[in-house]
């Protein structure tokens, strides 16, 4: 019985290993090796140019201790948090859900137009999109300043974080919208009707009927977009991290210190820190998903279900 | 459903890890996107001058067969008539940054060199690898190419990069790359030792210098006339600059009176055009006798001057200093008559406001743009007791030590700096070249460049050709950025001191 369970195909250990090997080699080559290499680089003073480029020396954890005392790194960490919270968790999720919710009952033509527009923002290449935004936010002659009658107002200097947060919300909402649209279709209309008849208002319907059905999707969506946003480099195209580091989120910080400043070792150390943060985010979400996955109704869900049955009866 | 979701989640986590690792180790995607961004803004070209050496600086000529795998295969012996490929690279692109240089390379140098070699029985094909990005981005790209064993055969770099490139092994002394034969080039005798120093590190020559330059204060004579200021303006101290700027602010409220580069976004253009000329005006050299300026009175004087311009008196526009494309904007606005005084090298005159080849042309350049020496803090307070100061630089052409046809690459490099080629490049326009035999001829028609070569070069200063200099420069840029953004002078100077101690050691930093 044990042999059936572990070797259903009857290949044997060696042949099974042969089949898996190409995949393992690819993973090792493109995933494990770069990660280990990053760890190694992060413990050297490797630079893009100069003596340390030809003969880097081992510095142990110095890059990490330097990072902790580097005011630009700590501020960059906060900015990244702000960026993820603002543009992904609040901006994209809420706007995406709102769009999905509103589009449920609109006419197909309207829905088609709205969805296409939102999707285009998502599908266009970053370089193109950022150029459009630069033109829109331009200090002299930009569209926004013309509309608001605020000539000469430099949005990217006065409100750099707000600008890139709105930029990324605009750009990435399509994913949340599509995911929530699909999720909302899984909410049985009968339950909503029942709740309505039982006198539940909009907020109550959402909390007790809709949300329990889409909780898994909310978590998945939050996880994906926070990871993407956390690693997003496109704000560089708008502000290059400026003014004076005020919008320097971590990926931009790494680019600026590793390539612009030439400190490859330091950049690698920060990359590893980012990698660890990514893993932590992923693990937390996975734990949440496992703990409260769909299928096991909560007490409130049961109550709603019972109420619906009563009404139906 | 649930398993599917989880699988997707895991896959994303792994993908994120992969992306990160890749980011840490190469980051090339970043650089390319950066350039995309820069190309967006009209005047991307402006940034070239950063290095001081203005137009020429960005240029890298790389005739490298070594770099391109394909060419390497085909190159073979070269002399026997077998086809050889050389690649030349500079930070120049037709229709964009340093257009003049790019056009000259593709239309004059390459066809004429190929023809000349064919006459000698060498079948060589030269390709030009164009770039049109900020100098720092060009440098990162080049360094990554060379680090990977590729890169062009002949390329242009800024003179201040020679030390760090040499220490990294990306470039080698000409002696090592082509042997003694490099000394046979007849151009060396025409290039002064001071200018050859621009292409040297540790006493060894790494390439051929390509021109030099000097920094001055440019001003708009028409705006000056409107404000009742003299057309032949010559400030004698920093206070003179400030009082003129105040007059401009009062009379012409829509005009930005003064632009002295600050901040990190402008890169080396902040250090070379702004910080170092000011520092020279306080009487010290950034690096002298093994010691660097740290949190010293002179550094604080410069930072206080920035503070006066951008905060206390509001004589400059912070946006130019902080915006990612601020330098290009400041050029465009100077050309449009919205900036009155601008500190810049003669690059501005040759490549930015020139009516024919400039990116922000001014039709009546000679009648509109005035230029004057940069004064010391007070008369006589400048370096070597001077009343006026400046900073000079210049770019060089150098060879890829891994080139499969190093000798031919050297010939190409020397060909670009022959008197005929230089004259073809200038095509009637003037630029201070590295060759004394050409200078007399090409400068005579241009009052501004004659002014630079006669009045500015004798009192100018050069940046230390040490590998650590670019990092020191970054620390200076950061200090000026902090002050412009509102940090107090004392705090900015203290942070600068900290950065310097980390870079060169506490014993080598002067603070008082």
């Amino acid at each position: 019985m044990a042999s059936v369970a572990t070797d259903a195909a009857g290949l044997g250990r060696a042949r099974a290993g042969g089949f898996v090997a190409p995949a393992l080699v690819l993973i090792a080559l493109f995933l494990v090796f770069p990660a280990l290499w990053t760890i190694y680089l992060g413990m050297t003073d490797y630079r893009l140019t100069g003596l340390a480029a030809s003969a880097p020396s081992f510095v142990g954890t110095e890059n990490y201790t330097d990072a902790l005392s580097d005011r630009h790194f700590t501020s960059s960490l906060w900015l990244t948090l702000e960026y993820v919270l603002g543009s992904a968790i609040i901006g994209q999720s809420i706007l995406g859900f709102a769009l999905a919710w509103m589009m449920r009952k609109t006419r197909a033509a309207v829905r088609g137009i709205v969805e296409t527009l939102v999707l285009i923002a998502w599908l266009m290449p970053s370089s193109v999109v950022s150029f459009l935004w630069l033109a829109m936010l331009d200090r002299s002659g930009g569209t926004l300043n013309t509309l608001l009658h605020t000539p000469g107002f430099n949005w990217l200097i006065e409100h750099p974080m707000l600008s890139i947060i709105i930029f990324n919300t605009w750009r990435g909402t399509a994913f949340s919208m599509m995911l929530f649209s699909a999720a909302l279709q899984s909410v049985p209309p009968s339950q909503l009707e029942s709740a309505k008849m039982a006198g539940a208002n909009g907020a109550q319907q959402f909390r007790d009927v809709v949300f329990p059905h889409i909780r898994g999707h909310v978590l998945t969506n939050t996880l994906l977009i926070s990871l993407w946003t956390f690693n997003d480099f496109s704000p560089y195209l708008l502000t290059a991290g400026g003014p004076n580091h005020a919008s320097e989120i971590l990926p931009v910080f790494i680019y600026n210190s590793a390539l612009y400043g030439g400190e490859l070792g330091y950049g690698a150390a920060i990359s590893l820190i980012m990698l660890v943060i990514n893993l932590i985010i992923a693990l937390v979400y996975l734990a949440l998903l496992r703990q409260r996955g769909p299928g096991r109704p909560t007490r409130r869900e049961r109550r709603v279900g019972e109420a619906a049955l009563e009404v139906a009866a | 459903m649930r398993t599917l979701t989880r699988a997707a989640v895991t896959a994303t986590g792994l993908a994120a890890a992969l992306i990160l690792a890749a980011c840490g180790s190469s980051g090339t995607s970043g650089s390319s996107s950066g350039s995309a961004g820069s190309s967006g803004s009209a005047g991307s070209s402006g940034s070239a001058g950063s290095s001081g050496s203005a137009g020429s600086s960005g240029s890298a000529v790389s005739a490298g067969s070594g770099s391109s795998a394909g060419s390497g295969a085909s190159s073979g012996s070269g002399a026997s008539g077998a086809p050889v490929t050389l690649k030349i690279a500079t930070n120049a692109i037709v229709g964009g940054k340093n257009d003049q240089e790019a056009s000259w390379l593709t239309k004059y140098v390459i066809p004429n060199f190929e023809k000349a070699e064919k006459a000698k029985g060498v079948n060589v094909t030269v390709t030009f690898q164009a770039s049109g990005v900020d100098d720092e981005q060009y440098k990162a790209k080049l360094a990554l190419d060379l680090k990977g064993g590729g890169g062009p055969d002949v390329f242009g770099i800024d003179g201040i990069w020679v030390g760090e490139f040499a220490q990294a092994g990306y470039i080698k002394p000409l002696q090592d790359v082509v042997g003694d034969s490099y000394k046979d080039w007849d151009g060396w005798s025409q290039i002064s030792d001071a200018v050859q120093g621009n292409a040297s590190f540790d006493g060894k020559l790494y390439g051929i210098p390509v021109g030099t330059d000097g920094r001055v204060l440019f001003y708009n004579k028409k705006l000056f006339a409107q404000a009742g200021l003299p057309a032949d303006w010559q400030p004698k101290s920093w206070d003179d600059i400030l009082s003129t700027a105040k007059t401009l602010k009062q009379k012409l409220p829509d005009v930005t009176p003064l632009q002295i580069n600050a901040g990190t976004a402008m890169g080396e253009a902040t250090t070379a055009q702004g910080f170092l000329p000011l520092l020279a005006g306080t009487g010290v050299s950034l690096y002298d006798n093994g010691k660097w300026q740290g949190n010293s009175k002179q550094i604080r004087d410069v930072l206080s001057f920035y503070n006066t311009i951008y905060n206390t008196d509001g004589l400059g526009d912070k946006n130019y200093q902080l915006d990612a494309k601020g330098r290009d904007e400041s050029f465009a606005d100077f050309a449009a008559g919205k900036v009155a005084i601008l500190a810049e090298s003669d690059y501005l005159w040759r490549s930015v406001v020139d009516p024919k080849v400039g990116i922000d042309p001014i039709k009546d350049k000679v009648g509109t743009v005035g230029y004057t020496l940069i004064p010391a803090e007070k008369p006589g307070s400048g370096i070597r007791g001077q009343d006026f100061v400046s900073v000079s630089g210049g770019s060089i052409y150098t060879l890829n030590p891994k080139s499969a046809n190093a000798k031919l690459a050297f010939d190409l490099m020397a060909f670009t700096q022959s008197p005929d080629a230089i004259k073809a490049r200038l095509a009637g326009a003037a630029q201070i070249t590295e060759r004394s035999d050409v200078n007399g001829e090409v400068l005579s028609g241009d009052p501004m460049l004659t002014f630079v070569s006669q009045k500015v070069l004798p009192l100018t200063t050069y940046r230390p050709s040490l590998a650590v200099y670019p990092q020191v420069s970054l620390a200076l840029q950061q200090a000026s950025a902090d002050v412009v953004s509102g940090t107090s002078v004392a705090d900015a100077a203290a942070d600068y001191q900290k950065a310097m101690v980390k870079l060169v050691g506490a014993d080598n930093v002067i603070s008082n």
Side-chain angles (χ1 to χ4, degrees):
Chain A
M1 191 192 121
S3 70
V4 173
T6 54
D7 189 12
L11 280 170
R13 202 171 284 263
R15 269 183 296 171
F19 277 108
V20 181
L24 288 181
V25 167
L26 284 178
I27 290 175
L29 199 62
F30 293 108
L31 205 67
V32 180
F33 174 71
L36 292 177
W37 188 243
T38 305
I39 295 176
Y40 163 71
L41 280 185
M43 290 190 286
T44 66
D45 64 354
Y46 196 42
R47 289 187 55 85
L48 187 60
T49 57
L51 267 187
S54 50
S57 50
F58 190 80
V59 295
T61 56
E62 198 182 296
N63 284 327
Y64 296 93
T65 48
D66 281 357
L68 293 179
S69 63
D70 183 347
R71 66 191 164 106
H72 293 140
F73 170 70
T74 39
S75 87
S76 169
L77 206 55
W78 282 113
L79 291 175
T80 315
L81 197 68
E82 221 175 282
Y83 184 60
V84 171
L85 268 178
S87 74
I89 297 180
I90 298 176
Q92 293 182 10
S93 292
I94 292 184
L95 188 61
F97 183 83
L99 281 170
W101 183 257
M102 286 187 294
M103 289 306 123
R104 263 179 332 142
K105 287 177 184 162
T106 45
R107 275 187 298 148
V110 178
R111 189 166 63 221
I113 292 169
V114 171
E115 284 181 348
T116 310
L117 287 177
V118 176
L119 265 177
I120 284 177
W122 194 49
L123 292 176
M124 275 201 292
S126 309
S127 47
V128 176
V129 163
S130 58
F131 182 65
L132 294 176
W133 273 69
L134 282 176
M136 187 179 82
L137 298 178
D138 190 65
R139 178 151 77 112
S140 47
T143 318
L144 191 60
N145 280 342
T146 312
L147 286 175
L148 299 177
H149 301 291
T150 50
F153 192 81
N154 198 335
W155 295 92
L156 293 175
I157 298 280
E158 304 292 335
H159 302 293
M161 278 312 285
L162 190 66
S163 299
I164 63 170
I165 284 173
I166 293 177
F167 165 74
N168 191 47
T169 306
W170 172 85
R171 182 154 163 65
T173 296
F175 180 79
S176 302
M177 183 190 74
M178 289 192 301
L179 198 135
F180 284 130
S181 294
L184 286 175
Q185 280 167 14
S186 71
V187 178
S190 61
Q191 290 190 13
L192 273 174
E193 286 303 317
S194 311
K196 252 185 243 170
M197 289 169 73
N201 63 22
Q204 286 169 333
Q205 284 175 40
F206 174 74
R207 189 191 60 194
D208 294 336
V209 182
V210 177
F211 184 70
H213 279 287
I214 63 166
R215 183 176 26 227
H217 300 88
V218 172
L219 281 172
T220 308
N221 181 57
T222 314
L223 167 62
L224 290 177
I225 60 176
S226 359
L227 282 174
W228 289 337
T229 307
F230 190 74
N231 298 315
D232 186 20
F233 186 74
S234 40
Y236 181 88
L237 303 176
L238 287 186
T239 64
N244 199 16
H245 310 278
S247 64
E248 199 174 45
I249 53 173
L250 275 178
V252 176
F253 179 81
I254 291 174
Y255 175 76
N256 278 344
S257 41
L259 291 162
Y260 197 85
E263 297 176 276
L264 295 178
Y266 188 58
I270 312 285
S271 296
L272 190 70
I273 295 177
M274 264 189 88
L275 181 64
V276 171
I277 297 176
N278 267 317
L279 287 177
I280 292 173
I281 299 178
L283 288 176
V284 167
Y285 278 114
L286 280 178
L288 276 176
L289 209 58
R290 217 164 282 157
Q291 199 181 41
R292 338 178 52 194
R296 211 183 315 142
T298 61
R299 214 186 321 153
R300 188 173 283 144
E301 278 171 305
R302 274 201 302 274
R303 241 188 6 238
V304 173
E306 281 155 16
L309 281 176
E310 273 168 39
V311 171
Chain B
M1 170 71 214
R2 185 175 160 188
T3 4
L4 251 179
T5 314
R6 202 189 297 166
V9 164
T10 318
T12 324
L14 290 176
L18 177 59
I19 290 161
L20 266 182
C23 177
S25 51
S26 83
T28 40
S29 66
S31 74
S32 63
S33 43
S35 45
S38 76
S39 66
S41 76
S44 57
S45 54
S47 17
S50 73
S51 54
S53 52
S56 50
S57 72
S59 41
V61 177
S62 143
S65 51
S67 56
S68 56
S71 60
S74 62
S75 50
S77 63
S80 64
V84 182
T85 310
L86 287 180
K87 202 193 285 175
I88 182 163
T90 79
N91 194 5
I93 190 162
V94 174
K97 179 168 184 160
N98 295 323
D99 168 76
Q100 198 186 4
E101 182 181 15
S103 305
W104 163 72
L105 281 171
T106 48
K107 289 186 195 136
Y108 177 88
V109 170
I110 292 178
N112 284 296
F113 179 73
E114 286 176 351
K115 213 191 294 164
E117 290 299 317
K118 193 156 265 172
K120 285 191 262 171
V122 182
N123 182 6
V124 60
T125 308
V126 182
T127 56
F128 171 54
Q129 182 183 314
S131 301
V133 296
D134 287 350
D135 283 2
E136 277 75 9
Q137 285 169 345
Y138 171 74
K139 173 182 167 190
K141 179 183 166 211
L142 198 58
L144 288 168
D145 281 352
L146 294 167
K147 183 189 279 289
D153 295 318
V154 180
F155 49 92
I157 58 174
D158 194 310
I160 56 168
W161 302 345
V162 171
E164 45 176 338
F165 272 59
Q167 284 193 338
Y170 300 155
I171 56 175
K172 294 215 157 74
L174 291 177
Q175 177 84 49
D176 299 356
V177 183
V178 289
D180 277 334
S181 63
Y182 84 90
K183 293 178 187 156
D184 301 339
W185 184 50
D186 57 5
W188 295 119
S189 59
Q190 300 293 337
I191 305 176
S192 74
D193 288 348
V195 178
Q196 285 195 23
N198 223 358
S200 305
F201 179 65
D202 270 353
K204 288 181 182 139
L205 209 51
Y206 281 79
I208 301 180
V210 183
T212 185
D213 61 9
R215 271 140 196 85
V216 296
L217 290 175
F218 288 97
Y219 59 97
N220 187 316
K221 289 195 259 190
K222 293 189 173 150
L223 294 178
F224 268 50
Q226 284 172 36
L229 290 161
D232 58 340
W233 181 53
Q234 178 55 70
K236 302 240 162 46
S237 65
W238 291 0
D239 284 341
D240 280 359
I241 300 178
L242 293 177
S243 67
T244 306
K246 278 178 199 159
T247 309
L248 285 160
K249 188 181 179 185
Q250 220 170 26
K251 301 268 172 67
L252 307 168
D254 294 338
V255 169
T256 303
L258 181 59
Q259 167 58 28
I260 295 186
N261 294 352
T264 49
M266 300 216 196
E268 185 63 22
T270 287
T271 325
Q273 268 84 283
F275 212 109
L276 291 183
L278 293 173
L279 188 64
T282 65
V284 297
S285 185
L286 175 62
Y287 175 81
D288 191 27
N289 243 336
K291 305 268 187 199
W292 295 86
Q293 291 289 316
N295 184 357
S296 63
K297 179 182 180 299
Q298 288 82 3
I299 292 279
R300 288 193 302 274
D301 277 2
V302 174
L303 292 174
S304 302
F305 187 59
Y306 275 124
N307 191 40
T308 309
I309 297 173
Y310 293 108
N311 295 314
T312 328
D313 290 359
L315 300 170
D317 186 343
K318 287 186 190 189
N319 288 288
Y320 297 136
Q321 330 310 320
L322 298 174
D323 204 282
K325 292 285 144 211
R327 187 160 179 241
D328 298 341
E329 288 167 21
S330 74
F331 285 159
D333 288 351
F334 180 78
K338 290 190 245 166
V339 172
I341 307 170
L342 180 85
E344 184 53 60
S345 81
D346 51 82
Y347 166 72
L348 181 97
W349 180 265
R350 289 182 284 107
S351 301
V352 179
V353 299
D354 188 82
K356 271 183 286 179
V357 300
I359 40 169
D360 299 308
I362 295 181
K363 224 179 219 169
D364 178 20
K365 177 174 85 167
V366 178
T368 309
V369 181
Y371 42 85
T372 189
L373 295 169
I374 302 172
E377 185 172 10
K378 293 180 193 72
S381 77
I383 193 162
R384 302 179 289 251
Q386 291 170 192
D387 296 333
F388 302 99
V389 293
S390 186
V391 168
S392 292
S395 60
I396 73 162
Y397 281 179
T398 185
L399 302 178
N400 187 340
K402 298 212 170 113
S403 169
N405 297 287
K407 286 205 169 148
L408 200 57
F410 179 84
D411 289 347
L412 172 62
M413 178 168 81
F415 181 83
T416 64
Q417 298 309 309
S418 62
D420 286 345
I422 292 177
K423 281 182 229 163
R425 168 173 174 172
L426 299 178
Q431 174 169 3
I432 302 160
T433 77
E434 74 279 11
R435 296 183 67 123
S436 37
D437 52 352
V438 181
N439 270 347
E441 198 178 322
V442 298
L443 294 184
S444 59
D446 192 301
M448 196 269 150
L449 294 165
T450 308
F451 175 80
V452 172
S453 72
Q454 292 178 355
K455 297 277 169 58
V456 178
L457 293 186
L459 46 79
T460 196
T461 50
Y462 287 88
R463 286 162 285 178
S465 63
L466 294 165
V468 75
Y469 169 75
Q471 290 164 268
V472 174
S473 174
L474 198 58
L476 290 171
Q477 294 160 29
Q478 183 59 54
S480 69
D482 287 343
V483 167
V484 170
S485 319
T487 309
S488 74
V489 167
D491 288 353
D495 276 346
Y496 166 70
Q497 166 83 13
K498 229 187 283 168
M500 286 303 290
V501 166
K502 205 177 151 223
L503 284 175
V504 299
D507 297 345
N508 300 318
V509 180
I510 303 169
S511 60
N512 52 52

